[in-house]
Amino acid sequence: QEQSQIFESNQNADANDIDVVGDTAYMVTDWQGGFDNFRVLDVTDPTNVTELGSLSLESSVNGIVVAVQGNYAYVGTNKSDKELIVIDVSDSGNPFVAITYNVPHSEEPESIWVSGNYVYLGMEKNSDQEFYIFDVQTPTNPTIVGQYEIGDDVAGITVNNNIAYLAIDHPTNTLRVLDVSNPSSIQLLATHTVTSEEGEDVAYMDGKIYFVSEETGSGDEFIIVDVSTPSNPTVPGGVDLDTEGRAVDVFDTYAFLTTAENNKEFQIIDISSPNNPQLVETFDLGSRGNGLKANANAVYVTSDNNSSALYIFTYPVPVYFGSGNYTSQEIDSGSSTTKWLTFNWEGTVPTGTSLNFQIRTADTEGNLASAIWVGPDGTNGTSYTANQTIITTSPDASGTRWIQYRVNMTSDGDNTPEVTDIRIQYRP
């Protein structure tokens, strides 16, 4: 990551949370008399962010959390009768409050998520429910359609495929997994003690949860949780941050964290190996980190640094994945007696990178999926690298009518191999 810009809020107030949709960012801050604390930013060029519009939520009202979908921003606030404020952002230069909502018997919101027709709101511990689901099919008329008693602060929320994962501010059962497919009848699928301290935030990607907690002393504060079976969470690995993790987001093979550690308030962890995640870089924000959002263009980080509300980190350019592969479509030769002859390819392989190919054959399209990838000697231990290599199919293949090829590539980060043409000669 490269720190490319600091957005100055010019209002001497803590920035609490941010959401980014396309080329627009939406940031909420504490209230500071005379200044707007909901801001709409143009992030088309993350190195040159400009303000499009802004809005004052109300005197003494802090914007705590924000989530945006379509033409509406959903903001959780500290106002006891306006815990949820819906803002119309259809005109970026002129956002306005569409409606406010009083969540019954509740304390302040701590987390928010929006997906489809629903907003999911997590509250501080109170005498009633702490997890609410709002139907926002009509955004100007949010309606509570589901609620669930947690018994503690709901510090973080992420929802995927009708499963809600909650980071709970409690030293045991810090992760709650809920089936929210029927909001009026929320079902508990699992509880899990991820750490020995209270949960702070949670993010989801590809069957795994990325979880941060308060400082544990000797344990991990960043934890990866496998939820490929949501009812049975398991922990493959974690990192001891030696400080409180405050927020987390993930993109590609990295987790991005804000923390409370002096001089290291923004941290980056390589999660390419879930069993062995590695801290790779830290940055000094000058004050405690708060919310953040990561996408393909940049990572946007809010902080308590009053004069520097938003830090923006961009990826070094160009950036290539360390490794990857491409599998072709299934190719039908049209004959069960096909003889595959030579494998031919054209492309470039810069110094420090690599490129090789394997093939597999079968009698039917369906059998290709279980066929063995092989190289020029017909075994899995070799691969095609030279052009015009004679093909030997696997002796264990069910047939030769159908064929697929796979390209395996590695880069050095700055350079990548390139394939421009592949030709496979055969005799029916």
Side-chain angles (χ1 to χ4, degrees):
Q1 296 294 126
E2 297 177 347
Q3 183 178 309
S4 60
Q5 187 183 7
I6 299 174
F7 180 81
E8 304 287 348
S9 66
N10 298 321
Q11 69 182 85
N12 200 36
D14 298 342
N16 295 320
D17 198 19
I18 190 166
D19 197 9
V20 181
V21 179
D23 293 329
T24 309
Y26 306 84
M27 183 174 68
V28 292
T29 71
D30 283 350
W31 181 81
Q32 183 72 19
F35 294 95
D36 293 346
N37 56 347
F38 173 81
R39 294 176 177 270
V40 184
L41 308 174
D42 184 345
V43 294
T44 304
D45 177 2
T47 66
N48 184 30
V49 173
T50 58
E51 184 171 296
L52 297 172
S54 62
L55 171 72
S56 177
L57 296 177
E58 187 179 310
S59 176
S60 300
V61 174
N62 297 333
I64 300 174
V65 289
V66 59
V68 181
Q69 181 174 262
N71 290 325
Y72 293 90
Y74 303 90
V75 178
T77 82
N78 66 329
K79 183 69 171 176
S80 60
D81 61 345
K82 298 177 180 178
E83 293 89 353
L84 179 65
I85 296 180
V86 183
I87 300 174
D88 187 319
V89 293
S90 55
D91 179 357
S92 299
N94 186 35
F96 64 90
V97 173
I99 194 169
T100 64
Y101 196 98
N102 179 19
V103 181
H105 313 296
S106 66
E107 300 293 334
E108 292 183 6
E110 289 214 348
S111 52
I112 196 167
W113 187 266
V114 59
S115 179
N117 293 328
Y118 299 108
V119 166
Y120 305 84
L121 193 64
M123 314 298 291
E124 289 182 344
K125 182 178 180 181
N126 59 75
S127 60
D128 206 354
Q129 284 77 17
E130 290 86 14
F131 177 66
Y132 290 89
I133 303 177
F134 292 82
D135 186 325
V136 291
Q137 188 168 359
T138 302
T140 55
N141 184 32
T143 305
I144 294 177
V145 291
Q147 49 194 306
Y148 195 86
E149 173 65 32
I150 298 296
D152 287 287
D153 301 353
V154 180
I157 299 173
T158 187
V159 181
N160 179 75
N161 197 27
N162 288 322
I163 305 295
Y165 303 91
L166 313 182
I168 306 302
D169 192 4
H170 191 274
T172 61
N173 297 328
T174 48
L175 173 66
R176 308 286 173 90
V177 183
L178 305 176
D179 182 339
V180 293
S181 56
N182 181 0
S184 64
S185 181
I186 299 170
Q187 301 297 314
L188 177 66
L189 294 180
T191 62
H192 194 77
T193 302
V194 178
T195 74
S196 60
E197 290 295 336
E198 291 87 348
E200 289 294 325
D201 197 18
V202 63
Y204 175 93
M205 184 174 69
D206 296 337
K208 293 181 178 61
I209 286 296
Y210 301 87
F211 190 99
V212 291
S213 76
E214 292 189 359
E215 186 171 1
T216 61
S218 60
D220 295 338
E221 292 86 11
F222 169 78
I223 306 96
I224 300 177
V225 185
D226 189 324
V227 289
S228 51
T229 303
S231 59
N232 184 33
T234 60
V235 176
V239 174
D240 186 354
L241 303 175
D242 291 324
T243 187
E244 173 190 349
R246 293 187 48 76
V248 59
D249 201 6
V250 287
F251 182 79
D252 186 30
T253 58
Y254 293 97
F256 305 97
L257 322 177
T258 55
T259 79
E261 184 173 2
N262 289 338
N263 305 318
K264 298 179 181 179
E265 295 91 355
F266 175 54
Q267 305 195 17
I268 303 173
I269 295 177
D270 185 332
I271 55 174
S272 56
S273 174
N275 294 321
N276 188 34
Q278 297 290 320
L279 179 65
V280 294
E281 200 163 6
T282 66
F283 291 87
D284 182 7
L285 302 182
S287 189
R288 188 179 68 170
N290 291 324
L292 79 166
K293 184 71 174 183
N295 62 22
N297 297 321
V299 184
Y300 306 84
V301 184
T302 60
S303 82
D304 282 355
N305 191 335
N306 292 343
S307 62
S308 304
L310 175 64
Y311 291 78
I312 301 152
F313 297 85
T314 56
Y315 304 93
V317 178
V319 173
Y320 297 108
F321 297 127
S323 63
N325 61 67
Y326 167 77
T327 301
S328 76
Q329 67 182 32
E330 299 86 352
I331 301 169
D332 182 7
S333 70
S335 171
S336 61
T337 60
T338 295
K339 172 67 175 178
W340 299 100
L341 302 176
T342 61
F343 190 92
N344 310 272
W345 68 276
E346 295 179 8
T348 59
V349 186
T351 301
T353 72
S354 68
L355 180 69
N356 64 71
F357 307 84
Q358 290 182 307
I359 65 165
R360 61 185 180 185
T361 64
D363 58 342
T364 66
E365 181 180 7
N367 283 337
L368 272 176
S370 58
I372 299 172
W373 292 105
V374 300
D377 69 351
T379 71
N380 181 252
T382 61
S383 57
Y384 296 89
T385 55
N387 194 18
Q388 295 184 332
T389 305
I390 296 174
I391 293 174
T392 301
T393 56
S394 170
D396 298 322
S398 61
T400 59
R401 173 169 174 166
W402 289 81
I403 192 171
Q404 263 183 311
Y405 63 85
R406 181 173 67 182
V407 190
N408 304 300
M409 297 165 281
T410 67
S411 80
D412 63 3
D414 295 323
N415 301 284
T416 184
E418 181 180 9
V419 178
T420 57
D421 189 30
I422 291 177
R423 300 182 307 279
I424 302 175
Q425 294 181 315
Y426 71 100
R427 184 173 62 244

